[in-house]
Amino acid sequence: MDTVAALDVGGTTIKAALLDAQLGILEERQVPTARGADGTALAAQVTSLVREMGGGTSVRAVGVVVPGIVDEEARVARFSANLDWRDVPFGSLLESRLGLPVAFGHDVSAGGLAEFRVGAGQGCADAAFVAVGTGIAAALLLDGRIYRAHGLAGEIGHIDVGHSLRCGCGAVGCLEASASASAVARLYSERAGRVVDGALPVIDLARDGDPVASAVVSEAVDGLARGLRTLLTLLGPEVIVLGGGLFAAGEYVVAPLRERLAASLTFQRMPELRVAKLGPEAGRLGAGLLALDLLARRTGGGGGGWVVLFCVGGME
């Protein structure tokens, strides 16, 4: 078994797991995320967790994934609103503390990597993993390889889908502002005058005939169909894997999305829409895969030991 430590860094919690080389969970923990704009507090926290987990077993590599804009080649978080980070070289920062190789990536990209290898996207050469949670982003698999563009690829949540709402990025019309799980909850709360906790309660209300909830969900599905049409026009994936909290509702959301997307296409190939299999574990498993890949590159695939995997926050 190979020995790696992997992190998925978000704004609230760290989920940590000890994995074997087949991604089997041997031990797991969850702790609050240490905050700090320069990343040193989190690096110290992760260092302690890596050393604590595994019962003294020597961890041989570390994988880290975070939300935001991540330059994986430079191992720098260019921007992460959830962590209040700008240009934080977290890969080298953590590596200097641990004295171990560190792989650094993006949480949705890592989730896509896991879905493409061991989840709903297996067997595809051209696919997309679209995560609809607090925000909306996509992992892109092109000709069998993850396409990252130094962390700038896959920001499907900031496609203009034609509404008048202002997005957190500063633009107007972004898909994320109308169709993310957080947007669905916010829009229903504003229109109905009652606060709901997340998108699923809104979907439940829509199922029960609530007209406000039905309108909010319908608008979200329309926006997603527009965003996916743009993705199809540019990249032509054969499969789109749908993940994140919104798609926990299954066919109640996927069926109308499939119908509206198909109706909007002219020459584009209609992809197969699949619901993600790995759920909230996708980012964590993807972080583990990044670490295992790094270890394989540096050792030629040999070695033994454990995998320590950390998910901080993620794609809820």
Side-chain angles (χ1 to χ4, degrees):
M1 291 186 294
D2 287 321
T3 307
V4 296
L7 300 96
D8 180 355
V9 179
T12 55
T13 61
I14 299 175
K15 292 188 295 181
L18 189 67
L19 305 182
D20 61 26
Q22 288 72 45
L23 302 180
I25 297 174
L26 307 172
E27 182 182 349
E28 57 186 336
R29 301 183 189 181
Q30 184 166 316
V31 298
T33 305
R35 301 305 297 268
D38 63 358
T40 56
L42 183 61
Q45 183 183 33
V46 170
T47 298
S48 295
L49 283 167
V50 170
R51 290 172 177 167
E52 289 169 5
M53 294 191 66
T57 300
S58 176
V59 175
R60 300 177 57 207
V62 178
V64 182
V65 297
V66 303
I69 305 298
V70 181
D71 185 333
E72 298 193 358
E73 291 184 15
R75 299 189 306 166
V76 174
R78 297 299 180 193
F79 175 70
S80 179
N82 289 349
L83 298 170
D84 193 27
W85 281 6
R86 283 189 181 274
D87 294 320
V88 174
F90 196 76
S92 59
L93 183 66
L94 187 62
E95 191 169 272
S96 66
R97 287 176 175 267
L98 284 168
L100 296 169
V102 173
F104 189 50
H106 182 257
D107 59 349
V108 173
S109 181
L113 177 65
E115 288 288 351
F116 299 145
R117 287 202 192 170
V118 298
Q122 290 182 79
C124 298
D126 296 287
F129 167 65
V130 177
V132 181
T134 303
I136 301 177
L140 307 174
L141 184 71
L142 306 179
D143 290 331
R145 300 181 65 180
I146 299 288
Y147 180 69
R148 298 183 173 93
H150 298 284
L152 295 171
E155 291 296 331
I156 185 176
H158 301 288
I159 290 175
D160 187 343
V161 294
H163 58 71
S164 60
L165 300 171
R166 186 166 295 279
C167 179
C169 76
V172 172
C174 292
L175 173 62
E176 188 169 293
S178 66
S180 65
S182 56
V184 167
R186 184 187 71 254
L187 291 170
Y188 178 81
S189 297
E190 290 174 355
R191 296 179 189 179
R194 61 184 242 188
V195 176
V196 292
D197 183 18
L200 290 180
V202 181
I203 292 171
D204 288 340
L205 288 164
R207 289 181 194 268
D208 292 338
D210 184 308
V212 176
S214 295
V216 169
V217 172
S218 180
E219 290 167 17
V221 171
D222 281 343
L224 286 166
R226 289 171 181 261
L228 293 184
R229 183 184 187 277
T230 299
L231 178 66
L232 288 173
T233 304
L234 293 174
L235 301 176
E238 57 191 311
V239 168
I240 296 179
V241 179
L242 302 168
L246 194 65
F247 293 105
E251 282 297 303
Y252 184 80
V253 174
V254 176
L257 175 59
R258 185 183 296 112
E259 292 171 4
R260 295 180 204 187
L261 177 59
S264 73
L265 302 182
T266 52
F267 64 89
Q268 300 91 340
R269 172 177 61 183
M270 179 65 190
E272 181 183 353
L273 301 185
R274 301 178 185 174
V275 176
K277 289 184 177 179
L278 303 178
E281 292 299 309
R284 183 159 76 173
L285 294 175
L289 287 168
L290 287 177
L292 287 166
D293 287 351
L294 174 63
L295 187 59
R297 289 196 300 271
R298 296 207 177 185
T299 65
W306 305 85
V307 177
V308 179
L309 176 63
F310 295 89
C311 280
V312 187
M315 300 172 287
E316 292 88 354

